Amino acid sequence: MSIARGPCSDENHNGDGGHPSSGGVSPEQDRPGIDLTRRELIGGTGAALVAANAAPLQAQQARRQPGIEPEVFDVPKTAITVTVNGHRQRLEVEDRWTLNELIRDHIGLTGSKIGCNRGECGACTVLLDGEPVYSCSTLAVWAHGREVLTVEGLERNGSVSALQQAFMEHNAPQCGFCTSGQLMSATALLERNPRPTADEVRHALTGNLCRCSNYNAIIEAVLAAAETGGA
């Protein structure tokens, strides 16, 4: 069986493989029908990449120049009045803002976290008129005339709540990212049911995921808080 040879044939190489030091054909040497050497080809490709990357950079610099404003769309806004952690505030909000955006980005209360941002994990849970809601999927305008309680509002006179203390004593937080949401859902439970059973705690917290799977310690902490006086 004969094997067809590619572009490199015996006519172009000597016996020691055509290495440049042995007198063979250099990789930089032009081949018949090819005007570019390998070095020229690589150099040209690099220049093209630099030029391609420079275009977006030039566009960004142009947007920063005085007198050149980026395109801005008119976004509907609504004035709302909302009570957050006992403080009544009147704010103008964009109709597209979520409640989480309002309390984190515009009021500065960053305890409520964004996990999945689609109403599944519960890390963003706050209380709206005493009921736990996912603030990532609740519009800020829906909070008009209502009361919002975030994890920062659980503290009283510089002291943490009984539930927060129980979380610390029972090592309920692991990475801590879901903790604020867990605390808010558990607070709502203890406000309406001061002496829940373990099954009732599990049911109340089904909407709050813990990536660290520290569920047993969380349930123990809630039950311990109930023993010492609730939320």
Side-chain angles (χ1 to χ4, degrees):
M1 178 183 295
S2 62
I3 301 176
R5 295 185 179 275
C8 297
S9 66
D10 291 338
E11 296 177 357
N12 295 329
H13 293 73
N14 57 17
D16 53 9
H19 191 279
S21 62
S22 61
V25 178
S26 168
E28 308 296 338
Q29 185 174 332
D30 291 347
R31 293 176 180 170
I34 301 177
D35 296 326
L36 292 176
T37 65
R38 182 184 299 174
R39 181 171 298 169
E40 290 170 339
L41 177 62
I42 294 174
T45 303
L49 290 173
V50 171
N53 290 330
L57 180 60
Q58 292 170 353
Q60 293 174 13
Q61 292 173 342
R63 287 196 294 268
R64 297 192 191 103
Q65 292 177 7
I68 301 178
E69 295 293 335
E71 187 176 6
V72 177
F73 297 96
D74 291 331
V75 178
K77 297 180 180 180
T78 300
I80 67 171
T81 300
V82 59
T83 301
V84 181
N85 297 337
H87 301 285
R88 191 167 183 265
Q89 303 189 47
R90 183 172 175 81
L91 304 157
E92 186 177 60
V93 303
E94 293 185 5
D95 291 356
R96 61 184 177 176
W97 288 353
T98 64
L99 182 56
N100 192 272
E101 287 179 282
L102 174 63
I103 61 180
R104 283 183 58 87
D105 301 338
H106 303 280
I107 297 180
L109 300 174
T110 57
S112 302
K113 306 304 182 184
I114 281 290
C116 64
N117 206 26
R118 58 187 183 185
E120 292 183 357
C121 74
C124 67
T125 301
V126 300
L127 302 190
L128 187 61
D129 289 342
E131 293 298 322
V133 299
Y134 291 154
S135 62
C136 76
S137 51
T138 301
L139 289 177
V141 293
W142 295 349
H144 175 56
R146 306 175 74 178
E147 293 190 6
V148 176
L149 183 67
T150 72
V151 69
E152 290 89 347
L154 298 182
E155 182 180 320
R156 293 289 186 272
N157 301 319
S159 299
V160 297
S161 69
L163 180 62
Q164 289 173 305
Q165 184 65 39
F167 262 60
M168 290 185 287
E169 291 176 355
H170 290 265
N171 296 317
Q174 288 295 294
C175 75
F177 197 84
C178 74
T179 303
S180 59
Q182 302 275 3
L183 284 168
M184 300 315 296
S185 292
T187 295
L189 167 67
L190 295 177
E191 289 291 341
R192 67 176 182 270
N193 182 5
R195 299 300 294 269
T197 65
D199 283 342
E200 288 172 330
V201 174
R202 293 187 186 95
H203 179 74
L205 298 181
T206 53
N208 295 82
L209 303 182
C210 175
R211 307 296 186 187
C212 305
S213 297
N214 200 36
Y215 296 109
N216 288 337
I218 293 171
I219 294 169
E220 290 171 3
V222 178
L223 294 174
E227 290 290 337
T228 60

